[in-house]
Amino acid sequence: MRFAMRYIAQMWWFELVLPRFGFARLAARGRAARLTTLAQRFHVLAVELGGLMIKVGQFLSSRLDVLPPEITTELAGLQDEVPPVAFDQIRALAEAELGMPLGRAFARFDEVPVAAASLGQAHRARLTPAAAVDVGFADVVVKVQRPGIEEIVDIDLSALRRVAAWLSRVRVVSDHVDLPALVDEFAATSREEIDYLHEAAGAERFAANFADDENVQVPAVAWERTTRRVLTLSDVTAIKISDVAALRTAGIDPAEVAARFAEVMFVQLFDHGYFHADPHPGNMFVTPVPPAQRGQDAAAWRLTFVDFGMMGEVDDQLRGGLRRLLIAVASRDGQGLVDAIRDVGVLLPSADTTELERAMTQLFARFGGMGFAQLRAVDPREFRDFADEFGTVVRSLPFQLPDSFLLVIRSMSLTSGVCSTLDPDFNIWDAVEPFAGRLLRAESGNIVRELSTQALAVASAAVRMPQRFDALVTRIEQGRVTVSTPAIDRRLARLERLVRRAVSAVLFAGLLVGGVLLLPWNLPLGIVLMSVSALPLAHAVFAGASGRG
């Protein structure tokens, strides 16, 4: 809580207060150093606190496409850098959950963990011969929940809710996202993540979705050695997906891995509607396949997914909207993109999107088709010019991020980060366009039905046209016609705020000067006037910075 308060206040001072007094260049000059310091201190704090703070850091470290390198570089170590719990505590918890000593539950159980995550840690083990015969495998990885993690999660969620409430008081945040609702969604997924029975069921459902794809591998569950806080899975450890050197040593092209990984993630989201929401490098392996074990259409390696505690699901309506959004992006259709954004609930129906459509059209015309490496080579002045022209338009629109988008955004952000690590020249358009083409062909069977629906709508509108025209004439005659001018209304509201702040500034100057002049003759009254002058000063400086101001 202290950390959040400190850096929210720092952001307020450097990004809002100083620019208002004409010190924007001074604030920008030290921005890189401030971001680096912020990331370094959050890194230390997250490792110290553990729990959900590690998850927050993992999400931030994956945003290579939108966050500055000062933050992503400093937080990258959070994906693996978590101190393990002492084995005595792990043994006690596992034996209490399984109802038997570890020596009887397993033929071997390594005391040194192979991975220590924020909510639990994993140990290699071997099932007893009898248990191995029942499940069909012997080598396993046993995940054991960190002792006391449920209480830690409760505390972390309470802190996140308070910080979300603070940030929601800032208008630029509250206009675009309902942070308390997102924290509630994050809380639900976090509680599911510490229930290993839920994770085991998620692993089996994920495996069933890819049952016909030999190029995707999922560990099997040993249900006899699985409880709510202990999960036993077949050992599928292989080459970590971000280990580019190891991939090349095994004769595997990292760029090919990036392309296939992006395609598999698109299949989950747009075809299955059930997707891995935490595909960071620690949860992904590339498994070489010997020639004797390959099927007819199988590749020389497989993508192996682990850790199914955080899974996302989208309903048919949202998936349809996401498909239309993907097709619009692939075809560089600005109007189609805006329509798709409205369909999935990100843009409220009342929004005037004419300027947004023009912005998206120009954005596609200039930057469409570029990968992250190409975008980094673009002159920063071009981005500034685009932001100056359309930034106000985008900020003024009533965006609202639906709760269901939290995991979608997280999953796609992690996917883009992993692909950029595998291939610095990775171009997301190369992955989007073939997939969008397939979706477009799959939707072609609905063209006749869509045309019939549109024809019926046009005929219905034509039938209603005389009545609507007559109603319009009647309203004109009665003087009840109103014209909506949202752009002018926004400018008038901004002018009204400026006038109010100017009045406050004049009032501040009057009170301050009056107090100074009264000091020699009436000291108490002079001090009171000077003190009261702080109120109009605060209004002149901070008015308009928050939704409550």
Side-chain angles (χ1 to χ4, degrees):
M1 296 291 291
R2 288 194 300 270
F3 182 92
M5 291 173 64
R6 174 180 178 179
Y7 285 100
I8 289 175
Q10 183 190 86
M11 177 188 69
W12 193 285
W13 174 256
F14 283 102
E15 304 300 335
L16 293 175
V17 177
L18 289 185
R20 286 176 183 268
F21 286 99
F23 295 106
R25 291 187 178 181
L26 177 64
R29 192 179 308 158
R31 185 174 291 125
R34 290 196 303 272
L35 290 173
T36 300
T37 301
L38 167 64
Q40 289 173 341
R41 292 182 177 174
F42 183 81
H43 189 147
V44 173
L45 179 74
V47 172
E48 178 185 347
L49 295 180
L52 297 183
M53 296 302 105
I54 298 288
K55 294 294 181 184
V56 174
Q58 288 177 341
F59 173 70
L60 295 176
S61 70
S62 69
R63 295 307 305 265
L64 301 176
D65 48 345
V66 294
L67 287 180
E70 292 89 354
I71 290 180
T72 57
T73 301
E74 290 295 334
L75 296 182
L78 281 174
Q79 294 179 348
D80 294 318
E81 185 183 324
V82 183
V85 177
F87 182 69
D88 290 342
Q89 299 180 46
I90 294 296
R91 176 193 292 273
L93 189 150
E95 290 182 346
E97 285 291 308
L98 296 174
M100 65 181 73
L102 285 183
R104 199 172 78 191
F106 300 95
R108 189 194 78 247
F109 197 100
D110 294 349
E111 295 188 8
V112 179
V114 295
S118 54
L119 305 181
Q121 62 189 50
H123 296 255
R124 279 200 176 92
R126 177 177 285 273
L127 295 173
T128 60
V133 170
D134 290 338
V135 298
F137 51 87
D139 293 327
V140 295
V141 171
V142 183
K143 288 181 61 175
V144 183
Q145 198 177 96
R146 283 179 172 252
I149 192 61
E150 293 180 348
E151 181 181 358
I152 293 173
V153 167
D154 289 340
I155 294 171
D156 288 346
L157 290 175
S158 176
L160 288 174
R161 285 191 175 97
R162 291 197 180 186
V163 173
W166 295 341
L167 291 174
S168 294
R169 298 181 66 85
V170 180
R171 188 176 57 193
V172 71
V173 175
S174 61
D175 285 351
H176 292 77
V177 61
D178 186 351
L179 275 180
L182 288 185
V183 172
D184 289 340
E185 182 77 10
F186 183 64
T189 58
S190 299
R191 296 192 188 284
E192 289 179 349
E193 196 170 1
I194 59 176
D195 182 354
Y196 286 166
L197 292 176
H198 178 269
E199 178 175 348
E204 292 201 334
R205 178 177 175 182
F206 189 88
N209 286 343
F210 285 98
D212 297 330
D213 190 344
E214 297 182 356
N215 298 320
V216 176
Q217 183 178 15
V218 179
V221 180
W223 286 101
E224 295 80 1
R225 296 292 182 266
T226 295
T227 70
R228 195 173 66 86
R229 300 206 291 175
V230 176
L231 174 62
T232 304
L233 301 166
S234 60
D235 189 356
V236 293
T237 307
I239 302 172
K240 189 175 179 179
I241 194 170
S242 60
D243 192 345
V244 175
L247 291 173
R248 290 199 174 105
T249 301
I252 300 173
D253 183 5
E256 185 181 347
V257 175
R260 188 181 301 175
F261 175 56
E263 180 183 3
V264 169
M265 293 305 299
F266 287 150
V267 167
Q268 295 173 44
L269 184 60
F270 297 104
D271 286 350
H272 300 161
Y274 185 72
F275 59 94
H276 200 301
D278 197 22
H280 65 79
N283 290 338
M284 295 293 307
F285 297 106
V286 178
T287 306
V289 181
Q293 299 179 13
R294 297 177 199 166
Q296 183 177 359
D297 299 325
W301 49 271
R302 295 174 183 150
L303 284 173
T304 301
F305 289 79
V306 298
D307 194 348
F308 300 90
M310 187 180 294
M311 304 296 292
E313 189 167 4
V314 293
D315 56 30
D316 292 340
Q317 180 178 356
L318 177 58
R319 189 159 74 249
L322 291 174
R323 287 183 173 188
R324 289 190 291 275
L325 190 150
L326 182 65
I327 292 171
V329 170
S331 59
R332 321 297 203 262
D333 181 0
Q335 181 177 353
L337 177 62
V338 173
D339 291 341
I341 291 174
R342 182 187 280 112
D343 289 343
V344 299
V346 174
L347 189 62
L348 299 183
S350 60
D352 181 5
T353 59
T354 304
E355 288 298 312
L356 181 62
E357 290 174 9
R358 188 166 72 90
M360 293 298 101
T361 301
Q362 293 196 21
L363 181 68
F364 283 137
R366 175 62 187 92
F367 305 113
M370 291 186 178
F372 297 135
Q374 294 168 299
L375 288 173
R376 283 193 288 267
V378 173
D379 189 339
R381 287 175 295 185
E382 292 196 47
F383 293 116
R384 281 199 299 271
D385 292 343
F386 185 86
D388 290 341
E389 184 176 359
F390 296 108
T392 303
V393 173
V394 174
R395 286 192 297 270
S396 65
L397 289 172
F399 285 102
Q400 192 68 266
L401 192 64
D403 299 346
S404 56
F405 256 55
L406 176 66
L407 294 181
V408 174
I409 293 173
R410 173 182 173 82
S411 179
M412 291 298 102
S413 300
L414 288 168
T415 299
S416 66
V418 170
C419 291
S420 297
T421 300
L422 288 166
D423 181 9
D425 296 325
F426 176 76
N427 190 334
I428 191 66
W429 301 94
D430 293 337
V432 166
E433 288 179 335
F435 196 84
R438 183 170 66 81
L439 289 179
L440 196 57
R441 288 191 296 273
E443 296 287 337
S444 61
N446 298 325
I447 291 178
V448 174
R449 184 175 59 187
E450 183 69 21
L451 290 175
S452 300
T453 302
Q454 292 182 8
L456 181 62
V458 170
S460 177
V463 169
R464 294 195 306 269
M465 186 62 70
Q467 293 92 337
R468 298 184 67 179
F469 184 74
D470 182 65
L472 175 61
V473 172
T474 302
R475 294 185 67 180
I476 293 175
E477 291 175 345
Q478 296 175 352
R480 293 188 294 112
V481 175
T482 60
V483 179
S484 176
T485 56
I488 296 177
D489 293 341
R490 286 196 297 269
R491 291 181 181 274
L492 289 176
R494 190 179 303 115
L495 180 61
E496 182 181 356
R497 287 196 298 271
L498 289 174
V499 171
R500 289 178 179 174
R501 291 174 59 202
V503 171
S504 295
V506 172
L507 184 59
F508 157 70
L511 290 172
L512 181 64
V513 172
V516 171
L517 294 176
L518 281 175
L519 283 178
W521 293 278
N522 192 331
L523 181 63
L525 182 58
I527 293 176
V528 169
L529 289 178
M530 293 174 65
S531 301
V532 171
S533 70
L535 296 176
L537 173 63
H539 180 266
V541 173
F542 298 111
S546 76
R548 308 294 186 272

